[in-house]
């Protein structure tokens, strides 16, 4: 470490790093909170079924539970591959 | 009306028992009739912090099993005669606590005219912690300004708003208060520690107290005298403030500013 680096080396503000990391992970965990425990399994099984017919990307299946007043809506979205690249599995 | 307050955190070692002891002493000091219950079955410790470990004859589980009366199990504090401790059982049986059993004990305390019941939760999110929070009207969430403690607390906040009787009956949320412990204003100023504001922003709940990191806390637990009784300790004063806020008084936060360094310290470091 050169002498200039010594003067330049300001201690890093680790508290800000902690806050930023927490902000992200807490938001992510809150979003998952309250959703039924079976969602990850449901998503995986749906993906297997879809893959029998369309060769989709594992990330292409999005599954979500939305609360709308008194009832819950299970939202499912599957992004199909673009035409031309699609190949049905046999 | 009996107010049931759970002292909880998720993470261990952040100061739940220290906080339970000081809050209950502080409330009793103000003339309230208080019971403080150790929910940490198998790892009894509140009795040590309260200084009554040698007077434990019956415990929480004995009452639940009908092996003694509630009155027999309540240990009267030597300092305040409106303060009672209910010790945790040292059994290794994890199912010793039941929801019905806990409810019976809490109802007994209601009938006896207690103003406050402080439930000292064990760490984690298992049965003991779940039961400590289940019947609560209010929750004091103890947090250290440190990443794992903050994250675990947020998990606890989620459970408070879904896995409590109030939530299940749709009676609104358990009111949640943030109590920061081991706060070091100098480290906050130098950017090594998250500030009260940072933690509050992340968790989004109101602050009931900030307890500065203090040598007094260890000294107090060594002696079995809750730190709130230590007039010379800032931590004690900060707990005093938290009790006042719990009772609805508004008090500004103290001990959150860095101590000004003298010229000597600034030149030679500290």
């Amino acid at each position: 470490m050169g002498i200039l680096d010594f003067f330049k080396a300001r201690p890093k503000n680790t508290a800000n790093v902690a806050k930023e990391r927490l902000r992200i992970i807490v938001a992510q965990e809150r979003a998952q909170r309250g959703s039924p425990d079976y969602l990850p399994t449901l998503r995986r099984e749906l993906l297997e079924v879809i893959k029998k017919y369309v060769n989709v990307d594992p990330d292409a299946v999005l599954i979500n539970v939305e609360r709308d007043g008194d009832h819950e809506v299970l939202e499912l979205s599957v992004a199909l591959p673009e035409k031309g690249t699609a190949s049905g599995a046999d | 009306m009996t107010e049931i307050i759970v002292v909880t955190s998720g993470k261990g070692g952040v100061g739940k028992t220290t906080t339970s002891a000081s809050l209950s002493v502080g409330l009793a000091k103000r003339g309230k009739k208080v019971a403080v219950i150790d929910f940490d079955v198998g790892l009894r410790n509140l009795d040590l912090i309260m200084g009554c470990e040698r007077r434990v004859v019956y415990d929480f589980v004995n009452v639940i099993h009908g092996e003694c009366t509630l009155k027999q199990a309540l240990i009267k504090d030597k300092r305040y005669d409106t303060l009672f401790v209910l010790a945790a059982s040292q059994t290794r049986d994890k199912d010793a606590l039941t929801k019905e059993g806990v409810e019976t004990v809490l109802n007994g305390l209601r009938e006896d005219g207690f103003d406050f019941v402080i439930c000292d939760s064990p760490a984690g999110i298992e049965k003991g912690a779940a039961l400590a929070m289940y019947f609560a009207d209010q929750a004091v969430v103890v947090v250290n300004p440190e990443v794992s403690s903050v994250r675990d607390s947020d998990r606890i906040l989620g459970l408070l708003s879904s896995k409590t009787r109030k939530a299940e009956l749709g009676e609104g949320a358990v009111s949640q208060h943030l109590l920061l412990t081991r706060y070091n204003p100098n480290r906050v100023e130098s950017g090594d520690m998250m500030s009260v504001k940072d933690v509050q922003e992340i968790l989004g709940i109101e602050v009931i107290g900030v307890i500065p990191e203090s040598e007094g806390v260890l000294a107090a637990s060594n002696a079995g005298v809750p730190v709130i009784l230590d007039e010379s300790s800032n931590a004690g004063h900060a707990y005093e403030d938290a009790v006042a806020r719990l009772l609805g008084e508004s008090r500004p936060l103290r001990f959150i500013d860095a101590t000004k360094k003298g010229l000597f310290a600034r030149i030679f470091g500290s």
Side-chain angles (χ1 to χ4, degrees), chain A residues 7-22:
Chain A
F7 287 109
K8 273 194 280 182
R10 305 274 317 169
K12 209 171 172 204
N13 191 321
T14 58
N16 280 343
V17 179
K19 187 182 176 187
E20 233 10 79
R21 291 173 61 215
L22 277 168

Side-chain angles (χ1 to χ4, degrees), chain B residues 201-213:
Chain B
E201 268 176 40
I202 294 161
L203 295 177
I205 59 173
E206 145 268 346
V207 175
I208 193 119
V210 178
I211 314 301
E213 191 165 48

Side-chain angles (χ1 to χ4, degrees), chain A residues 5 21 26 59 65 74 84 89:
Chain A
D5 290 333
R21 291 173 61 215
V26 163
D59 297 332
V65 174
L74 180 68

Side-chain angles (χ1 to χ4, degrees), chain B residues 141-216:
Chain B
V141 182
V142 183
V143 183
N144 285 171
E146 175 272 328
V147 286
S148 52
S149 174
V150 175
R151 181 201 208 168
D152 289 358
S153 304
D154 191 65
R155 183 102 170 80
I156 289 293
L157 293 181
L159 296 174
L160 282 167
S161 53
S162 62
K163 307 280 185 207
T164 53
R165 189 171 61 170
K166 275 195 148 189
E168 285 178 7
L169 296 177
E171 287 177 1
V174 173
S175 52
Q176 302 163 343
H177 313 284
L178 171 64
L179 186 100
L180 264 179
T181 54
R182 298 220 174 132
Y183 196 72
N184 186 329
N186 291 330
R187 299 196 73 185
V188 171
E189 182 160 285
S190 66
D192 292 333
M193 184 181 270
M194 284 181 283
S195 68
V196 193
K197 200 167 144 273
D198 291 341
V199 179
Q200 192 182 12
E201 268 176 40
I202 294 161
L203 295 177
I205 59 173
E206 145 268 346
V207 175
I208 193 119
V210 178
I211 314 301
E213 191 165 48
S214 156
E215 289 168 8

Side-chain angles (χ1 to χ4, degrees), chain B residues 22-224:
Chain B
S22 279
L23 293 185
S24 55
V25 166
L27 289 166
K29 214 171 146 185
R30 287 161 168 258
K32 305 290 181 193
K33 191 172 178 188
V34 185
V36 56
I37 308 180
D38 190 346
F39 274 76
D40 204 345
V41 170
L43 294 168
R44 175 198 291 168
N45 272 321
L46 178 67
D47 56 338
L48 272 179
I49 305 300
M50 293 294 291
C52 64
E53 71 279 6
R54 296 185 56 188
R55 293 192 292 132
V56 179
V57 181
Y58 294 113
D59 60 52
F60 197 6
V61 172
N62 291 139
V63 185
I64 290 178
H65 289 171
E67 291 153 5
C68 67
T69 62
L70 178 56
K71 214 175 214 127
Q72 285 175 306
L74 287 173
I75 306 160
K76 193 181 202 175
D77 186 79
K78 291 251 162 137
R79 297 154 291 226
Y80 297 95
D81 54 12
T82 58
L83 175 59
F84 297 84
V85 179
L86 184 53
S89 161
Q90 288 289 46
T91 175
R92 288 195 293 178
D93 175 14
K94 273 195 280 177
D95 298 319
L97 286 186
T98 59
K99 200 179 269 182
E100 296 70 31
V102 173
E103 187 168 27
T104 310
V105 170
L106 293 176
N107 285 340
L109 295 169
R110 277 201 183 97
E111 280 161 25
D112 284 348
F114 276 86
D115 298 305
F116 288 94
V117 178
I118 308 289
C119 302
D120 181 22
S121 173
I125 52 173
E126 298 297 315
K127 197 167 187 186
L131 284 175
M133 71 167 65
Y134 187 75
F135 296 99
D137 300 304
Q138 302 188 42
V140 171
V141 182
V142 183
V143 183
N144 285 171
E146 175 272 328
V147 286
S148 52
S149 174
V150 175
R151 181 201 208 168
D152 289 358
S153 304
D154 191 65
R155 183 102 170 80
I156 289 293
L157 293 181
L159 296 174
L160 282 167
S161 53
S162 62
K163 307 280 185 207
T164 53
R165 189 171 61 170
K166 275 195 148 189
E168 285 178 7
L169 296 177
E171 287 177 1
V174 173
S175 52
Q176 302 163 343
H177 313 284
L178 171 64
L179 186 100
L180 264 179
T181 54
R182 298 220 174 132
Y183 196 72
N184 186 329
N186 291 330
R187 299 196 73 185
V188 171
E189 182 160 285
S190 66
D192 292 333
M193 184 181 270
M194 284 181 283
S195 68
V196 193
K197 200 167 144 273
D198 291 341
V199 179
Q200 192 182 12
E201 268 176 40
I202 294 161
L203 295 177
I205 59 173
E206 145 268 346
V207 175
I208 193 119
V210 178
I211 314 301
E213 191 165 48
S214 156
E215 289 168 8
V217 174
L218 181 60
S221 72
N222 285 342

Side-chain angles (χ1 to χ4, degrees), chain B residues 6-19:
Chain B
V6 60
V7 176
T8 181
S9 69
K11 191 176 182 296
V14 295
K16 284 181 295 297
T17 302
T18 298
T19 298

